């Protein structure tokens, strides 16, 4: 039990950046929570790049996310979603290197390290993706079918880091790799990571 919560079977990470649309994220998270039936935790990370958009503005007490987070909260409450399954990370500027070009790997590493103790599996999704009905059930059924097989990652797409199901026991190692090579995209480092842990 962590943070007063039982460990879930799946943690889903989503980065809120300037390309994110609040309504799309709210719909995505709501659908995940409904389909997950209490077995999913969603971790939203407010990207450093989003702080320059009108969704997130600076208030006297630090970053004030009134527009975006209030909109997300309203949608989730209207949908009767369990908001305790939604964790929002807003890393301070001190966590970031001086070069803004390497912020993405730092953000992914922070999100993975946060999510690792919360669930057995981790899935990174893009903020604008849409999940089809039955998506979560299909993943759970597939994992049940291969439960006697050893695996670290299940490819849900053929390319990139997003949409890959990863066992959380290896997430801290991938996070270390991302921080060690901040200039190399996570999509590229993924296959080196697979070679290292397999």
């Amino acid at each position: 039990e962590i943070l007063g919560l039982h460990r879930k079977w799946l943690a889903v990470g989503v980065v809120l950046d300037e390309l994110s649309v609040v309504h799309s994220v709210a719909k995505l998270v709501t659908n995940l929570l409904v389909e997950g039936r209490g077995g999913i935790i969603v971790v939203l990370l407010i990207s450093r790049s989003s702080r320059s958009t009108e969704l997130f503005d600076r208030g006297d007490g630090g970053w004030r996310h009134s527009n975006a987070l209030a909109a997300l909260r309203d949608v989730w409450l209207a949908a009767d979603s369990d908001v305790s399954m939604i964790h929002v990370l807003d890393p301070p500027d001190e966590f970031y290197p001086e070069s803004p070009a390497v912020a993405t790997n730092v953000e992914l590493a922070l999100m993975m390290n946060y999510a690792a103790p919360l669930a057995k599996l981790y899935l990174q999704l893009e903020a604008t993706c849409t999940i089809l009905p039955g998506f979560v059930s299909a993943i759970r059924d597939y994992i049940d079918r291969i439960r006697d097989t050893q695996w670290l990652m299940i490819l849900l797409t053929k390319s990139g880091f997003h949409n890959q199901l990863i066992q959380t026991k290896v997430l801290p190692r991938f996070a270390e790799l991302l921080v060690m090579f901040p200039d190399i995209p996570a999509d590229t480092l993924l296959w080196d990571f697979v070679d290292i842990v397999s």
Side-chain angles (χ1 to χ4, degrees):
E1 193 168 311
I2 298 170
L3 302 174
L5 301 170
H6 295 286
R7 196 163 190 232
K8 303 299 180 187
W9 77 274
L10 179 63
V12 177
V14 179
V15 175
L16 296 172
D17 58 22
E18 62 232 7
L19 300 176
S20 300
V21 178
V22 172
H23 183 70
S24 296
V25 172
K27 186 176 179 181
L28 169 67
V29 173
T30 300
N31 289 344
L32 284 167
L33 294 177
V34 168
E35 284 228 6
R37 296 184 199 103
I40 294 178
I41 286 182
V42 178
V43 180
L44 301 173
L45 184 135
I46 298 170
S47 174
R48 184 182 202 182
S49 64
S50 68
R51 296 175 184 170
S52 63
T53 69
E54 67 273 1
L55 290 178
F56 305 96
D57 54 0
R58 180 105 175 138
D60 293 339
W63 291 108
R64 189 167 41 94
H65 313 295
S66 57
N67 297 336
L69 295 182
L72 291 172
R73 183 196 65 227
D74 292 346
V75 170
W76 292 322
L77 291 175
D80 199 26
S81 296
D82 184 357
V83 292
S84 69
M85 297 294 110
I86 303 165
H87 297 230
V88 180
L89 304 180
D90 184 13
D93 287 337
E94 295 81 40
F95 281 31
Y96 292 95
E98 289 185 27
S99 170
V102 298
T104 302
N105 280 11
V106 171
E107 290 171 344
L108 290 174
L110 288 169
M111 193 168 2
M112 283 188 250
N113 276 323
Y114 182 85
L118 300 177
K120 297 174 185 172
L121 303 172
Y122 180 78
L123 177 64
Q124 181 73 36
L125 293 177
E126 290 142 337
T128 56
C129 79
T130 303
I131 63 165
L132 297 174
F135 173 76
V136 174
S137 300
I139 290 174
R140 193 174 236 165
D141 291 347
Y142 182 75
I143 291 169
D144 284 344
R145 284 196 311 271
I146 64 165
R147 74 175 145 246
D148 295 331
T149 305
Q150 288 189 356
W151 61 273
L152 294 174
M153 185 170 68
I154 296 173
L155 305 177
L156 303 179
T157 62
K158 291 185 179 183
S159 62
F161 166 65
H162 287 83
N163 308 324
Q164 311 305 346
L165 197 62
I166 302 172
Q167 291 192 13
T168 56
K169 66 184 179 184
V170 296
L171 280 182
R173 292 176 77 185
F174 190 38
E176 288 174 10
L177 193 63
L178 289 169
V179 175
M180 286 172 57
F181 301 100
D183 296 326
I184 301 174
D187 292 344
T188 303
L189 285 175
L190 179 67
W191 301 113
D192 292 321
F193 168 70
V194 170
D195 289 341
I196 290 169
V197 296
S198 55

